Amino acid sequence: MFDILIKNANLVTSEKIKLGSLAIKDGKIIDILFDNCEVNSKIIIDGTGKYLFPGLIDAHAHLNEPGFTTREDFYHGTRAAAVGGVTTVIDMPMQNEPALYSKDIFLSKEACVSSKAYIDYSFYGALVTYNLNNLEELNSCGTVAFKSFFAPVSPDYTPLNTGEIRTALSIIRKFDGLASFHCEDYNIITYEQNKAIKESRLGRRDFLNSRPVVAELIAVKNIIELSKEQDCRVHICHVSHPVVAEEIKKAKIDGVRITAETCPHYLIFDENDFLAKGAIFKCAPPLRTSKDKEKLIDYVCDGTIDMIVSDHSPCAPEEKSEDMGIFNAWGGISGIQTGLQTMYDYLVVKKGISPSLISKVMSTNPAKHFGIDKKKGSLKIGADADIVLLDPNKEWNITCDSLKYLNKQSAFVGLEGTGLPVLTILRGKIISENGCITKNTPYGQLIKRKL
Ligand SMILES: [Zn+2]
């Protein structure tokens, strides 16, 4: 007797789509049936006409707990994720009090969030100037990757210089870890920002000009060279521009152990949205031109960009205000809930691309590269029964009210499209149905990197 049988759905793996029925027992995928035989199951769900994906893995989100819970917290962020079809989130180590730089902080963060998570979660570790001696212990407790910046994020999130990055990669290589980078050259940005402020050029266009593509490109080239020399796996966060993607493509051909991600906002929006509507569209790197945006998708399709992540980066409403100027407004877009529906509409409905690409870049690849693919990111028998069912005919319109975030604001509000997640299952239990959380007690758990 199965616990749940989802009958006659289009099963979407990263390679193909096949009509079949998926059986779940004890939290695992236990069988996949391709003929219409009679089977016993406690719950039978009709999947006719729907796409069944492995639960999404959002490999880049800021849930801000502990410490910054006026912006977002695990309770709201993971409920939003569940409604959107995400079953595992990889949470970032900054906007965390303190930054997640040691084993003790890893353990206290886990104790803090474990009773609030509606989906499973993994932790990024910090990679800052003062924790190079902690990287190994962080890896031992299950940290999936380490995040570093070229520019200061907060007083305790210090940027590494290239010498320090080189040393960090030599350490991370020893345990075959993954070092991730926000790639924007600090020298260019601070120089341009200071100049703009001094000359009172404080408009939206001035902000865009202060973060040119070349800043992103220089930072990525540095990481490529350091990765090549140190033979350490590196990951480029939120690639915003095709020129940057082209550099990553060349590095991959050269054998550099590099992976990359982009976000729905870089594929759907462009600088005109930011120029017209302001801070709600502010992110870093910034939105690029509509021509750049159109080209970026080619690099997702050809495998250069390995994954699409939300970079869910919420804030309190007053932090998005432009009263103190666009340079001071919060940079970050909330999107953990809307990734699947917006990418289904953009990739499948509008571009005619196979839904398999969604499975690949939003589930299978993140699981593989972040080392959690033993249990996550596939429809294989024995894997965790993390499932999302999408109705391709359901039309949607994103409203503030439909968002489960603590702060119901997002650049995606107002967007319309077709194809909506209607059922999310986490380890064999239905956690969300038709936009509502169905499981009152959160039971998300920590997923450690396999060692
Ligand atoms: Zn981020």
Side-chain angles (χ1 to χ4, degrees):
M1 168 90 83
F2 301 134
D3 294 334
I4 300 181
L5 180 73
I6 306 172
K7 279 183 88 170
N8 301 324
N10 296 298
L11 310 177
V12 189
T13 69
S14 53
E15 288 103 35
K16 59 178 186 259
I17 301 173
K18 214 166 169 188
L19 192 65
S21 302
L22 184 133
I24 296 169
K25 191 172 168 62
D26 299 331
K28 301 279 180 194
I29 298 173
I30 196 165
D31 208 352
I32 290 179
L33 313 158
F34 293 108
D35 48 18
N36 234 338
C37 53
E38 281 304 306
V39 288
N40 282 330
S41 178
K42 288 178 200 159
I43 300 172
I44 295 179
I45 296 165
D46 184 11
T48 307
K50 300 197 173 66
Y51 286 111
L52 186 156
F53 295 90
L56 264 53
I57 295 162
D58 191 338
H60 185 158
H62 302 264
L63 298 185
N64 293 334
E65 191 162 357
F68 293 87
T69 48
T70 55
R71 291 175 177 156
E72 187 66 284
D73 54 33
F74 258 72
Y75 174 85
H76 290 90
T78 57
R79 284 168 75 93
V83 165
V86 177
T87 49
T88 305
V89 61
I90 303 181
D91 190 48
M92 280 291 174
M94 66 296 259
Q95 289 110 36
N96 198 77
E97 188 55 55
L100 205 169
Y101 71 85
S102 71
K103 183 182 174 182
D104 286 349
I105 299 165
F106 184 103
L107 297 174
S108 65
K109 179 170 168 125
E110 156 68 347
C112 168
V113 305
S114 62
S115 60
K116 302 164 187 169
Y118 279 78
I119 61 169
D120 288 349
Y121 50 90
S122 298
F123 294 153
Y124 250 102
L127 175 50
V128 284
T129 47
Y130 52 86
N131 84 330
L132 299 189
N133 292 329
N134 302 119
L135 301 178
E136 214 147 352
E137 66 173 32
L138 275 167
N139 179 62
S140 306
C141 39
T143 303
V144 293
F146 298 90
K147 175 73 180 287
S148 182
F149 286 78
F150 289 88
V153 179
S154 59
D156 75 344
Y157 217 90
T158 48
L160 269 61
N161 64 38
T162 35
E164 289 161 336
I165 292 172
R166 187 166 175 257
T167 302
L169 296 187
S170 74
I171 297 166
I172 293 170
R173 176 194 54 208
K174 286 185 204 149
F175 49 82
D176 197 30
L178 180 64
S180 293
F181 295 90
H182 176 126
C183 282
E184 281 186 296
D185 182 76
Y186 179 44
N187 294 320
I188 292 178
I189 294 170
T190 38
Y191 173 76
E192 291 297 340
Q193 273 184 0
N194 291 340
K195 202 154 78 119
I197 291 164
K198 211 169 145 196
E199 294 167 7
S200 298
R201 291 184 289 103
L202 301 172
R204 292 170 183 172
R205 175 59 75 186
D206 300 309
F207 169 75
L208 292 181
N209 290 344
S210 75
R211 303 188 95 108
V213 177
V214 72
E216 197 177 336
L217 192 59
I218 285 172
V220 168
K221 285 188 178 195
N222 278 341
I223 293 303
I224 288 170
E225 289 308 318
L226 292 168
S227 165
K228 211 189 283 180
E229 189 216 29
Q230 294 298 323
D231 191 27
C232 179
R233 294 195 299 133
V234 294
H235 179 71
I236 309 298
C237 291
H238 38 55
V239 172
S240 75
H241 197 285
V243 166
V244 176
E246 182 61 31
E247 204 57 37
I248 294 166
K249 185 174 182 169
K250 281 192 252 164
K252 284 189 167 188
I253 293 167
D254 268 5
V256 179
R257 300 166 77 201
I258 188 168
T259 51
E261 64 182 40
T262 191
C263 313
H265 44 270
Y266 294 114
L267 297 168
I268 295 175
F269 304 128
D270 60 54
E271 62 175 27
N272 291 323
D273 293 295
F274 169 73
L275 292 169
K277 294 168 218 159
I280 197 83
F281 286 83
K282 182 182 171 185
C283 53
L287 298 175
R288 306 297 187 185
T289 69
S290 68
K291 224 170 105 193
D292 300 331
K293 173 189 77 174
E294 285 304 318
K295 259 183 120 175
L296 193 58
I297 186 60
D298 296 344
Y299 292 94
V300 179
C301 293
D302 76 5
T304 300
I305 294 176
D306 304 88
M307 47 193 109
I308 296 177
V309 302
S310 70
D311 192 6
H312 180 68
S313 183
C315 66
E318 59 274 17
E319 292 176 294
K320 270 290 186 196
S321 160
E322 282 184 57
D323 290 352
M324 301 291 285
I326 192 71
F327 280 89
N328 291 314
W330 180 258
I333 290 174
S334 297
I336 200 169
Q337 184 178 325
T338 53
L340 177 55
Q341 71 196 75
T342 56
M343 286 299 90
Y344 181 85
D345 181 70
Y346 174 76
L347 297 170
V348 182
V349 178
K350 295 205 166 68
K351 299 274 178 198
I353 296 167
S354 166
S356 279
L357 185 67
I358 292 178
S359 269
K360 186 175 159 195
V361 300
M362 299 181 88
S363 189
T364 305
N365 280 352
K368 184 168 97 185
H369 297 303
F370 286 87
I372 56 172
D373 52 330
K374 202 174 157 204
K375 294 176 172 175
K376 305 293 185 188
S378 80
L379 297 180
K380 288 187 187 132
I381 291 167
D384 280 358
D386 294 350
I387 303 293
V388 53
L389 212 53
L390 178 135
D391 183 341
N393 298 315
K394 215 157 200 163
E395 295 183 350
W396 49 261
N397 171 8
I398 298 171
T399 60
C400 293
D401 281 351
S402 66
L403 299 175
K404 306 288 178 201
Y405 309 142
L406 176 68
N407 294 300
K408 298 175 190 306
Q409 57 187 5
S410 170
F412 293 98
V413 168
L415 214 63
E416 294 176 354
T418 309
L420 195 64
V422 290
L423 186 87
T424 308
I425 294 176
L426 176 69
R427 285 183 277 111
K429 293 195 177 85
I430 298 169
I431 54 169
S432 164
E433 211 167 349
N434 295 317
C436 296
I437 294 292
T438 50
K439 199 97 191 126
N440 282 327
T441 317
Y443 72 102
Q445 67 182 26
L446 177 71
I447 305 297
K448 298 177 179 183
R449 178 186 170 219
K450 62 170 190 226
L451 294 175

